Amino acid sequence: MQHHAQGRTPPIPRHIPPYVAPPPSYVPSRHPSGQYDWSKPDHPSGQYDWSKPDHTEEQHVQEQRVSFMEVGRTMLEKTKKAIKIRNCTMRELLAEALGTFILMVFGLSSVAQVVLGKGNTGQYLSINMAFGIGVTMGIYAARGVSGAHLNAAITITQWVLGNLSWTKLAAYITGQFLGSFMAAATVFALYYDAIYDYTQGNLTVSGPTATAMIFSTYPAPSVSLQGAFFTEFTATVMLILGVLVIQDEKNNAALKGAQPMLSGMLVLGIGLGMGLNTGYAINPSRDLPPRIFTAMAGWGMDVFTADHSWWWVPVAAPILGCLAGVFIYKACIGFHNEPDHETENKKEEAGTETSKL
């Protein structure tokens, strides 16, 4: 009281630190870390602008998005390291499996839709088109890894010509059979309800409600076994001739990017012209694995004994037809054709020898 009366300021207790206001140059400002930066003023007036948050909502969402992307990339890299296969033969096996799977899912599902829909959801043309599309997509999928044979007859022919080893022969055929078998199982699961509704639970190879032809080929009733064999043989000759014409770089080959599409059109053409007698299997990998699946799935061993044990024809005839087709092409074109640069080199060599005389 005495100090107040004299107009003096009372002393500050030692245990209470005096408040010292920071100078204007040390007013806190926003910082990317979210902490106050006392070194820079936030506002021209020297006061902190409390109306602006440190991070807007959009910035927060963007940061979360970037964080999730980093986590996703990290997980993808770890998964890649864990499952990456370095063995070349195994990679080719998987490529053949995937390519054949794509081919067969397109083809078999189209047959199922036509048969089970009783002609109301597709016609024979739609089956041909679906197999052509399946061939195109299957080749695009596997070509960069394995060359996309997708056909055991072509694989065996390549082995006979010395272009494949025993190991790769086994790997290619295993991959093709695996992909084809899994495709048959996929289509069976896809149309399971429709199959049992159509057949009333009676899975048969022949008869008015036969459904085995959805998965494998069977000859027409009017065709003999010999006629069916010749049909498959001839159709496969045309298949391999077309493939060689499309891919032979010594003989005006098609552009690499267009070759799968042209191969699909080739299969479409074979189906349109040679499918009546046997359904144009032209590929053991297309016919045998689904036939094994149907034997296991409820159709029984009739799939092997029906039509005078027809099952071996779509296996043997395409192999022989493929070998014959390659020989025909080599005899007519391949043995007599040379790439342009070799011809030019020979002409230059001949000119050099002539000048020396």
Side-chain angles (χ1 to χ4, degrees):
M1 296 293 292
Q2 186 177 0
H3 291 284
H4 284 284
Q6 296 177 358
R8 297 179 181 178
T9 304
I12 299 175
R14 294 183 179 277
H15 63 278
I16 301 176
Y19 171 74
V20 179
S25 61
Y26 287 91
V27 173
S29 64
R30 290 173 296 163
H31 192 270
S33 65
Q35 303 296 326
Y36 296 148
D37 186 0
W38 292 86
S39 63
K40 298 178 182 178
D42 180 71
H43 195 269
S45 64
Q47 302 296 325
Y48 180 71
D49 188 358
W50 295 96
S51 64
K52 296 181 180 179
D54 291 335
H55 292 281
T56 64
E57 184 177 353
E58 293 181 358
Q59 289 175 330
H60 182 65
V61 172
Q62 183 67 22
E63 289 176 357
Q64 284 187 330
R65 187 178 301 159
V66 172
S67 178
F68 287 144
M69 291 175 63
E70 291 178 354
V71 172
R73 282 194 294 265
T74 302
M75 293 180 62
L76 184 63
E77 288 296 327
K78 290 182 179 180
T79 305
K80 178 181 176 181
K81 291 180 180 179
I83 68 174
K84 184 175 181 180
I85 298 175
R86 301 187 181 279
N87 184 278
C88 181
T89 302
M90 284 300 300
R91 291 202 302 265
E92 291 168 344
L93 185 153
L94 293 176
E96 287 292 311
L98 178 61
T100 309
F101 176 83
I102 294 172
L103 158 63
M104 294 298 292
V105 167
F106 273 104
L108 297 184
S109 60
S110 68
V111 180
Q113 186 162 290
V114 171
V115 173
L116 301 176
K118 300 177 181 179
N120 297 321
T121 54
Q123 301 294 332
Y124 181 68
L125 176 61
S126 62
I127 296 175
N128 298 326
M129 293 179 66
F131 269 106
I133 293 170
V135 168
T136 299
M137 299 308 298
I139 293 175
Y140 272 124
R143 184 175 182 181
V145 179
S146 65
H149 292 183
L150 314 184
N151 188 332
I154 292 177
T155 300
I156 292 172
T157 300
Q158 290 290 336
W159 171 73
V160 171
L161 295 175
N163 298 327
L164 287 179
S165 64
W166 272 102
T167 305
K168 290 189 180 293
L169 172 69
Y172 274 56
I173 294 179
T174 300
Q176 293 162 12
F177 277 38
L178 177 62
S180 185
F181 186 91
M182 293 305 298
T186 300
V187 173
F188 178 74
L190 183 67
Y191 285 105
Y192 179 84
D193 295 332
I195 290 173
Y196 273 85
D197 179 70
Y198 181 82
T199 63
Q200 299 300 314
N202 184 26
L203 304 178
T204 59
V205 176
S206 59
T209 60
T211 48
M213 81 285 292
I214 292 175
F215 302 94
S216 298
T217 61
Y218 294 87
S222 59
V223 179
S224 66
L225 191 64
Q226 295 83 355
F229 186 96
F230 183 71
T231 299
E232 285 293 317
F233 177 87
T234 305
T236 312
V237 168
M238 298 309 299
L239 172 68
I240 194 63
L241 285 176
V243 170
L244 292 172
V245 168
I246 292 170
Q247 298 185 1
D248 187 4
E249 296 182 355
K250 296 180 180 180
N251 187 34
N252 194 25
L255 296 174
K256 288 188 178 298
Q259 289 179 7
M261 188 178 301
L262 293 173
S263 298
M265 293 176 63
L266 171 65
V267 172
L268 171 62
I270 292 173
L272 290 174
M274 305 180 192
L276 174 64
N277 289 344
T278 62
Y280 71 107
I282 59 176
N283 182 354
S285 302
R286 176 260 179 272
D287 195 84
L288 185 56
R291 195 179 299 274
I292 296 172
F293 173 80
T294 51
M296 298 169 58
W299 281 266
M301 294 304 294
D302 286 347
V303 299
F304 289 102
T305 59
D307 297 304
H308 307 287
S309 299
W310 148 265
W311 71 270
W312 66 272
V313 175
V315 176
I319 296 173
L320 295 176
C322 200
L323 291 169
V326 169
F327 176 77
I328 292 171
Y329 185 83
K330 293 289 187 182
C332 295
I333 295 178
F335 292 148
H336 319 294
N337 202 8
E338 294 179 348
D340 293 338
H341 68 273
E342 290 186 7
T343 305
E344 292 176 358
N345 291 339
K346 288 187 176 181
K347 288 181 179 179
E348 291 178 359
E349 291 177 0
T352 303
E353 291 177 358
T354 303
S355 63
K356 291 180 180 179
L357 295 177

